[in-house]
Amino acid sequence: MNQIIKTSDPAVKALCPVAESEGIATVFDRYQAQQPQCGFGSLGLCCRICWKGPCRVDPFGDGPQAGICGATRDTIVARNVTRMMAAGAAAHSEHARHVALAMQRVGKGQLPAYQIRDPQKLFRIAEKLGIETQDRDMLDVAYDVASKSLEDFQNQDHHKGCNWISSSLPQKRLNRLKKLGVLPHNIDATVAQIMARTHIGCDAEPQNVFLGGIRGALADFNGMALGTELSDVMFGTPSPIVTEANIGVIDKDAVNIAVNGHNPLLSEVICDVAREMNDIAKAAGAAKGINIVGICCTGNEVMMRHGIPLATNYLSQEMAILTGALDAMVLDVQCIMPSLPQIGNCFHTEVITTSDENRIQSARHVSFHEENAVENAREVIQYAINAYTRRDPKKINIPAIKQTAVVGFSAEAIVAALAKLDADDPLKPLVDNIVNGNIQGVALFAGCNSTQTTQDESYQVIAKILAANNILLLATGCGAGAFAKHGLMTPEATKQYAGESLKAVLTAIGEAAGLNGPLPLVLHMGSCVDNSRAVAVATALANRLGVDLSDLPVVASAPEAMSEKAIAIASWGVAIGLPTHLGTMPQVTGSDAVTALMQQGAKELFGGYFLIETDPKVAGNKLVDVIKQKRQGLGI
Ligand code: BF8
Ligand code: SF4
């Protein structure tokens, strides 16, 4: 194999030669084997919606200009991207439904493995959703909050918006979205409607199709807001905690278990049960007991709540197994590479799927159900301990590469830190510093890793440009993983890369909050569903200033967007008014009409728009300009 390793992560560079010498193909090899990738698909011009297809529209105008049914390039591209938004919304919302259903049962006392760990947040949410709290039992309130959240999957009244969206965005934004007819009334119905209207022979008007997709993207936002908030209630609202990130967190003297995926329902219980089973691991010979590490967004979930170290992010999940010291990888849902069991088979690693709807050929399967959560957790941990005894010492190769990361900046944690500066009015220091220009604006980094670009690199290039221009940085998902692995979630990074006025503000807040130094350069807000946390902060700012979200000097950037979920997130980012950068080429450029709709068209409709730029330096500078324009617009 002649490998081209498209990564900036030193641990990945260190481990790829292991794969090569063992004859194991990784994501980088498979990427190469796919070259050249199909031009029709890359432009979004391939349609497989019916079995007369596949149909392809010639991008240069010489060949066919419509599919067999007559669908034009614009219709085909619009339908393809809209279906992606629906799939993203479905994925996040299934996660959310799962959490809400579990919370309903916690409210009925039916799930002893789970508790209400943040009752104050429960009562805050109840009030926000209009649920009576006076003198009521906590579990009854939990049941009602979960039920009200589940209404967002059931409501059939088109005139009534979803509960979470209605209570999470500024009124000005809600009014604008309502006028455009893109507010969802029901998550499931919206996803189903997109599938129906994009069936052959249905909605063929590109803008109408795309706006249907935007409604799906807003359903995605609704799902993630409720998924995030109910997870906090059950598992605790994150607050700053110091941990480590990158492959060096795997410890050769421990039974190493990676939790990978997105949904915290099982991984939370694994963290609890691992403490009880430490002695069993020690008795099996692991001097340091059990070491849980995280990957992808499940990794973010347990990192921000328990300080569990992060082994790596999406693109390098296979690398954890290549260390030869990972005893089990426990998988739940989403962004899991189907290649993992094959690689696990080359080592002693147990690769265990746990969701009945998310299985992988040749992986071990432990069917997870909340009512058996503790037994399920014990079973997977026991598999890991057994595997530990089968390790081949000659195959152990853990690059000693890791970085400190300060993580866990929920909206509540940010407000709590600000309250140290002004207890009566915590938002005031933030608002004042934005208005006086010490903080020029806010950028949220979200999204994935993609082989379209060099892993983690654009995140760092863009973040450093924005930080030098005094823009406050937030991050979620694999973006957060990238920053954690590369040492940008530390006070030292603030000292090194922040512009003078941003540095002064982060230092004042960090010291007041007792951190003995500045806040980290990039604030870790959590996993991908936690993007709603950033919206909570932006909404508080907008309400405070009496403006809409599209007026704020706030931008989003997804330098390596790849998944359907990321497309849904970016699309609701645009719909709520944020200029949203994509650093990878979306599969829409085969249609000038759709590409224009996502840029100028969206700007007119929503105030937010897609900013497509694959060069990270140029992107960074463009985002700085956007923030300047927004400030001018506000007259600050
Ligand atoms: O939800 S950032 S690669 S792991 S989709 Fe997936 Fe993208 Fe990572 Fe988390 Ni989000
Ligand atoms: Fe071709 Fe139309 Fe069928 Fe798509 S829906 S595959 S364009 S015939």
Side-chain angles (χ1 to χ4, degrees):
M1 273 179 277
N2 173 26
Q3 281 192 319
I4 299 173
I5 302 161
K6 291 177 69 178
T7 185
S8 62
D9 180 341
V12 179
K13 288 182 189 159
L15 281 164
C16 278
V18 175
E20 190 159 17
S21 65
E22 296 276 333
I24 296 170
T26 68
V27 65
F28 300 104
D29 303 299
R30 295 188 298 271
Y31 164 75
Q32 237 179 300
Q34 285 293 334
Q35 301 312 306
Q37 284 172 272
C38 172
F40 295 100
S42 302
L43 297 171
L45 289 173
C46 172
C47 183
R48 291 188 299 105
I49 278 178
C50 88
W51 281 2
K52 301 195 301 306
C55 295
R56 303 180 302 181
V57 169
D58 186 298
F60 305 111
D62 307 331
Q65 291 304 296
I68 296 168
C69 66
T72 63
R73 68 178 67 231
D74 301 330
T75 300
I76 290 175
V77 167
R79 286 194 308 211
N80 285 343
V81 69
T82 294
R83 282 195 164 197
M84 294 184 97
M85 296 182 210
H92 281 136
S93 304
E94 273 303 290
H95 170 161
R97 187 203 321 266
H98 206 153
V99 172
L101 285 170
M103 193 163 128
Q104 237 186 358
R105 292 166 73 193
V106 171
K108 287 279 177 214
Q110 292 166 348
L111 292 179
Y114 301 89
Q115 300 95 41
I116 301 298
R117 288 202 175 139
D118 191 343
Q120 284 172 335
K121 181 151 188 174
L122 171 68
F123 281 90
R124 271 205 313 279
I125 291 175
E127 274 154 28
K128 169 171 151 152
L129 293 175
I131 292 166
E132 182 58 53
T133 54
Q134 199 75 36
D135 302 323
R136 289 192 66 203
D137 179 70
M138 177 180 76
L139 290 183
D140 290 341
V141 175
Y143 180 83
D144 286 353
V145 165
S147 304
K148 187 105 184 181
S149 301
L150 287 164
E151 263 179 25
D152 288 351
F153 295 88
Q154 291 149 357
N155 168 46
Q156 302 301 329
D157 177 359
H158 283 256
H159 302 293
K160 182 181 167 300
C162 287
N163 293 315
W164 277 89
I165 229 172
S166 308
S167 59
S168 302
L169 293 180
Q171 197 53 48
K172 283 189 177 161
R173 180 54 33 178
L174 290 169
N175 295 346
R176 186 160 180 172
L177 295 173
K178 190 164 189 195
K179 242 198 212 146
L180 289 165
V182 293
L183 277 179
H185 70 290
N186 169 328
I187 296 169
D188 288 345
T190 305
V191 171
Q193 185 192 55
I194 290 176
M195 297 314 285
R197 73 195 292 169
T198 56
H199 182 275
I200 178 178
C202 297
D203 198 359
E205 202 288 307
Q207 175 160 331
N208 205 42
V209 172
F210 188 78
L211 288 179
I214 291 287
R215 193 185 301 143
L218 287 164
D220 178 271
F221 171 74
N222 195 83
M224 78 170 52
L226 85 87
T228 301
E229 302 297 284
L230 301 196
S231 292
D232 280 358
V233 168
M234 283 208 292
F235 306 123
T237 304
S239 58
I241 188 164
V242 183
T243 184
E244 292 176 321
N246 216 340
I247 221 80
V249 303
I250 293 175
D251 187 334
K252 86 172 169 21
D253 298 320
V255 171
N256 295 298
I257 303 174
V259 288
N260 181 6
H262 285 77
N263 192 327
L265 280 169
L266 174 60
S267 51
E268 279 287 330
V269 182
I270 288 180
C271 292
D272 293 342
V273 172
R275 283 188 282 274
E276 292 164 23
M277 292 181 73
N278 237 350
D279 289 341
I280 305 177
K282 285 184 182 162
K288 294 195 193 159
I290 296 169
N291 179 38
I292 313 273
V293 300
I295 297 180
C296 291
C297 283
T298 292
N300 278 314
E301 296 275 348
V302 290
M303 175 161 73
M304 65 185 172
R305 293 205 176 89
H306 305 288
I308 298 286
L310 186 78
T312 198
N313 52 353
Y314 170 76
L315 206 63
S316 35
Q317 55 187 278
E318 297 168 313
M319 301 297 146
I321 300 178
L322 294 174
T323 61
L326 188 71
D327 302 300
M329 194 186 289
V330 186
L331 309 169
D332 53 85
V333 297
Q334 301 166 13
C335 301
I336 294 160
M337 288 190 187
S339 59
L340 292 170
Q342 291 161 34
I343 300 182
N345 286 340
C346 302
F347 292 83
H348 70 293
T349 313
E350 284 276 2
V351 175
I352 306 170
T353 52
T354 60
S355 157
D356 290 347
E357 293 93 39
N358 292 260
R359 297 187 61 164
I360 305 177
Q361 254 175 337
S362 92
R364 186 186 288 282
H365 186 67
V366 172
S367 175
F368 167 66
H369 294 280
E370 291 85 7
E371 59 275 21
N372 306 324
V374 171
E375 294 76 42
N376 294 153
R378 275 202 195 110
E379 190 180 355
V380 297
I381 294 172
Q382 191 61 52
Y383 280 129
I385 296 172
N386 297 350
Y388 169 84
T389 64
R390 301 194 303 270
R391 262 194 209 173
D392 179 351
K394 293 193 295 298
K395 283 191 168 177
I396 297 178
N397 177 359
I398 311 170
I401 296 170
K402 59 182 176 181
Q403 296 277 353
T404 300
V406 187
V407 302
F409 289 90
S410 55
E412 289 85 346
I414 292 176
V415 171
L418 290 165
K420 303 285 184 200
L421 292 177
D422 188 335
D424 295 332
D425 188 359
L427 272 185
K428 188 168 184 292
L430 183 60
V431 172
D432 287 351
N433 278 298
I434 290 177
V435 171
N436 70 20
N438 286 337
I439 296 176
Q440 287 284 307
V442 182
L444 166 67
F445 285 92
C448 320
N449 282 150
S450 170
T451 42
Q452 259 198 49
T453 175
T454 302
Q455 185 190 14
D456 300 344
E457 193 170 83
S458 306
Y459 283 108
Q460 300 172 72
V461 173
I462 300 172
K464 286 175 189 170
I465 294 172
L466 299 188
N469 282 281
N470 299 303
I471 293 165
L472 179 67
L473 308 179
L474 313 173
T476 58
C478 287
F483 292 124
K485 285 191 304 175
H486 292 274
L488 294 182
M489 289 183 160
T490 57
E492 290 69 35
T494 307
K495 290 179 193 156
Q496 198 174 345
Y497 299 111
E500 287 310 314
S501 59
L502 175 66
K503 194 186 299 177
V505 177
L506 292 179
T507 304
I509 301 172
E511 291 191 339
L515 296 176
N516 280 332
L519 292 182
L521 184 72
V522 186
L523 301 182
H524 180 283
M525 287 205 117
S527 63
C528 269
V529 286
D530 294 329
N531 280 307
S532 57
R533 298 186 194 280
V535 177
V537 174
T539 297
L541 277 177
N543 287 340
R544 179 58 180 262
L545 293 167
V547 298
D548 194 358
L549 293 169
S550 52
D551 300 320
L552 293 174
V554 176
V555 295
S557 172
E560 296 189 44
M562 144 320 268
S563 70
E564 290 161 320
K565 290 181 294 166
I567 292 159
I569 295 170
S571 303
W572 65 246
V574 167
I576 67 169
L578 304 182
T580 301
H581 164 242
L582 297 177
T584 46
M585 263 307 176
Q587 294 165 353
V588 299
T589 51
S591 162
D592 289 345
V594 174
T595 309
L597 179 57
M598 289 170 63
Q599 300 178 91
Q600 304 87 299
K603 196 171 184 174
E604 281 156 32
L605 292 169
F606 303 111
Y609 52 93
F610 289 92
L611 193 166
I612 301 164
E613 178 53 66
T614 55
D615 180 324
K617 275 202 191 119
V618 177
N621 292 327
K622 282 186 180 172
L623 288 169
V624 171
D625 287 343
V626 170
I627 296 254
K628 282 187 186 146
Q629 288 159 17
K630 294 281 181 182
R631 294 187 64 86
Q632 272 169 8
L634 282 173
I636 56 176

